[in-house]
Amino acid sequence: MELQFYGAAERVTGSCHILRAAGYLLLLDCGLIQGSAEEEALNRDLFPFEPSDIDAVVLSHGHIDHSGRLPLLVKRGFSGPVYTQHATIDLSLVLLLDSAALAERDADIRRRHAASGKERHAEPLYTREDAERAVARMRGMEYGEMKEILPGVRLRFLDAGHILGSAVVELRITEGGEKRTLVFSGDLGQYESPVLKDPETPETADILLVESTYGDRLHRDFQSTVAELGEIFRTACRECGNILIPAFSIGRSQELLYLFATYYKEWELDKWQVYLDSPMAIEAGRIYWGYPALLDEEALALRNNPARLPPLGNLHFTERVEASRKINDIRKGAIIIAGSGMCNGGRILHHLKYNIHRPECRVIFSGYQAPGTLGRKLVGGEKEVFIHGRSYKVAAGIHTIGGLSAHGDRADLLRWMGGFSNRPEVYVVHGDAEVKVSFRNAIEEQLQLEVSIPKPGDRVKF
């Protein structure tokens, strides 16, 4: 049995690890690299394996940095099954079709504005047809179900609490009379967060891959986060500005609307017009409420008794481009939730162009911002940014609200790891370099486990 580290071994995005076990070749995730243009260009590189040799893929969840290269994998010859939680199939169709549409649009723009012969023949990374073919290969499983996906390889998913359908991956492998258990955390959510259930920890593991996105910090506690948001809304209202919330369409947007309904009076949201400016987020909301068994008790109670929530008559769903454009005529009193969450594309860029230079406006970030993205530049304090090739002064207030992150912080990650009854061999992945070092030190100090930080291409026999 051998595990080879590949994607997300030197960054947060691009999740993909290669497992050779019981005579088969499997992938754990197959995600898109996100960040700067130089980093995203790496998505076109050849895989370090022949796609047709892969027997199966195990997908932890639908976020594009975990699933986004699956259409390319299929396009280049993979024809096996992709095992994932049932809800992830529905979300993946929405996400991958959107990713493909963006790739097609980008290729078209490059062809029309070509400065070289190469650009005149620009092709998308993959098409919507490729995305549909990838989703057609997905096979759904329930949380807790144990399934033999290949002779000698049994798979179980547990709830990771990150987004709908997100899973902790447990693989029980038998090879040559030896039995080993590999656990991959995927992305772990916060405990006691709204809408979804808490992360579940498997009983034991011989080898553990754990993410470390926020392994170097603690999020603000939830009630402090609620108070902070209320103050931002009240201040922006007094100063007659707009509020922009770059939000991931899957997970974050749904939780924001849930919180808006829950704290409608406390946050004085009746003074605002709220716009969910994302067709993908709107469709994802329908999918979320279609899986009541995956919701936590409070969210389920509200789903089953919607009369308990305020009517949110000031909430507007803007699916059409024309409606999105009209929002930019509003100079004050608008809360605009739009993708992408890292500001590296999508409708949020247009809203930033109209508002980022206005000191009375606010921009609220609620999730991880990859290096090289516009979101990272804004939270990093840059005073001038480029959007669609034009320079814009940054005068709007920039806020980072860690308490709303879909990722657990250091305490959440350590709490999850503390649930194992044995002492697994730990490999820290999915984090910036300095964060992984900090998290490794915390694990060694608090849990007294042996921890390694692998590099891309490193191999481990177990």
Side-chain angles (χ1 to χ4, degrees):
M1 307 172 206
E2 181 184 81
L3 178 67
Q4 182 179 1
F5 300 94
Y6 173 40
E10 60 182 345
R11 56 177 62 87
V12 174
T13 62
S15 175
C16 188
H17 305 288
I18 306 162
L19 176 63
R20 297 172 177 86
Y24 296 98
L25 189 60
L26 297 89
L27 293 187
L28 302 178
D29 288 347
C30 192
L32 204 68
I33 298 170
Q34 297 173 302
S36 66
E38 292 75 17
E39 284 202 310
E40 292 188 356
L42 298 175
N43 288 307
R44 294 183 179 271
D45 288 355
L46 293 175
F47 293 104
F49 48 78
E50 178 56 50
S52 60
D53 290 341
I54 301 297
D55 294 292
V57 176
V58 178
L59 176 62
S60 66
H61 66 287
H63 272 153
I64 213 71
D65 62 318
H66 289 254
S67 68
R69 287 184 91 192
L70 281 172
L72 186 63
L73 190 74
V74 172
K75 182 179 179 179
R76 291 181 177 176
F78 171 69
S79 60
V82 178
Y83 293 99
T84 193
Q85 211 279 340
H86 286 294
T88 296
I89 299 177
D90 291 337
L91 292 179
S92 292
L93 180 61
V94 176
L95 281 158
L96 292 176
L97 283 175
D98 179 74
S99 176
L102 290 173
E104 290 173 341
R105 190 177 310 141
D106 177 65
D108 180 63
I109 291 171
R110 288 163 59 197
R111 287 193 296 268
R112 286 190 284 111
H113 300 280
S116 66
K118 182 179 179 181
E119 290 291 293
R120 282 194 289 273
H121 300 284
E123 293 291 334
L125 186 64
Y126 50 79
T127 67
R128 279 169 280 192
E129 289 183 357
D130 296 323
E132 289 173 342
R133 282 194 287 268
V135 174
R137 307 226 61 81
M138 293 185 181
R139 307 290 180 262
M141 292 174 57
E142 300 286 352
Y143 287 134
E145 174 188 357
M146 184 69 73
K147 183 181 182 66
E148 187 174 54
I149 60 172
L150 292 165
V153 181
R154 293 190 296 160
L155 169 65
R156 182 171 70 143
F157 290 126
L158 297 177
D159 199 335
H162 174 61
I163 64 169
L164 192 77
S166 59
V168 173
V169 175
E170 179 187 72
L171 286 164
R172 299 184 185 180
I173 304 163
T174 302
E175 179 180 291
E178 297 288 330
K179 294 184 178 181
R180 296 287 186 272
T181 299
L182 180 150
V183 171
F184 171 41
S185 69
D187 283 348
L188 295 168
Q190 297 191 58
Y191 288 86
E192 289 87 41
S193 65
V195 181
L196 298 179
K197 298 177 182 178
D198 288 345
E200 298 177 291
T201 307
E203 295 84 5
T204 63
D206 295 298
I207 186 167
L208 169 63
L209 280 70
V210 61
E211 65 116 331
S212 59
T213 308
Y214 285 122
D216 66 336
R217 71 196 70 180
L218 299 176
H219 296 321
R220 177 171 288 197
D221 70 83
F222 186 70
Q223 288 308 314
S224 296
T225 297
V226 169
E228 182 178 7
L229 281 168
E231 182 57 31
I232 293 172
F233 294 144
R234 285 187 287 272
T235 300
C237 187
R238 288 194 301 269
E239 296 180 358
C240 298
N242 292 327
I243 295 175
L244 309 186
I245 307 180
F248 298 98
S249 298
I250 309 297
R252 184 57 52 242
S253 295
Q254 291 73 43
E255 291 183 2
L256 281 168
L257 293 185
Y258 173 88
L259 291 173
F260 280 11
T262 303
Y263 296 97
Y264 185 81
K265 291 183 179 179
E266 185 174 339
W267 289 349
E268 301 178 8
L269 295 179
D270 59 317
K271 298 178 180 179
W272 297 86
Q273 295 299 309
V274 181
Y275 296 88
L276 182 59
D277 189 26
S278 168
M280 184 162 56
I282 294 167
E283 178 58 27
R286 299 186 185 108
I287 294 171
Y288 258 64
W289 293 115
Y291 284 89
L294 306 188
L295 306 178
D296 66 16
E297 290 184 9
E298 186 176 355
L300 181 60
L302 291 175
R303 175 191 180 276
N304 294 337
N305 185 16
R308 290 176 54 189
L309 286 175
L312 286 180
N314 58 345
L315 173 61
H316 310 276
F317 296 106
T318 54
E319 296 190 70
R320 298 179 64 84
V321 173
E322 295 81 2
S324 176
R325 288 173 178 160
K326 288 183 179 179
I327 297 172
N328 289 319
D329 293 334
I330 302 171
R331 302 295 293 172
K332 63 179 181 178
I335 298 175
I336 306 162
I337 305 169
S340 70
M342 297 185 195
C343 301
N344 56 342
R347 294 182 178 180
I348 193 65
L349 295 180
H350 298 279
H351 301 308
L352 285 168
K353 289 194 294 185
Y354 280 87
N355 292 276
I356 196 67
H357 62 284
R358 300 174 59 206
E360 67 272 22
C361 293
R362 300 287 183 273
V363 184
I364 300 175
F365 288 94
S366 61
Y368 176 78
Q369 305 299 309
T373 62
L374 175 58
R376 174 64 75 92
K377 293 174 183 176
L378 289 171
V379 300
E382 293 198 15
K383 299 303 181 184
E384 183 177 358
V385 294
F386 284 84
I387 304 174
H388 294 155
R390 179 180 169 186
S391 174
Y392 292 84
K393 298 291 185 183
V394 179
I398 308 296
H399 304 269
T400 302
I401 311 294
L404 290 181
S405 174
H407 284 271
D409 63 8
R410 173 183 289 188
D412 291 313
L413 295 171
L414 291 172
R415 175 177 172 181
W416 180 80
M417 293 180 66
F420 288 91
S421 62
N422 71 330
R423 299 174 57 78
E425 186 177 339
V426 179
Y427 293 87
V428 173
V429 294
H430 300 259
D432 293 327
E434 66 278 8
V435 175
K436 284 188 286 194
V437 171
S438 175
F439 186 47
R440 178 197 61 192
N441 295 341
I443 297 170
E444 292 177 340
E445 178 182 344
Q446 298 188 36
L447 300 178
Q448 288 79 52
L449 295 173
E450 291 188 11
V451 185
S452 299
I453 300 175
K455 298 178 181 178
D458 283 356
R459 297 171 184 247
V460 174
K461 294 187 182 297
F462 63 100

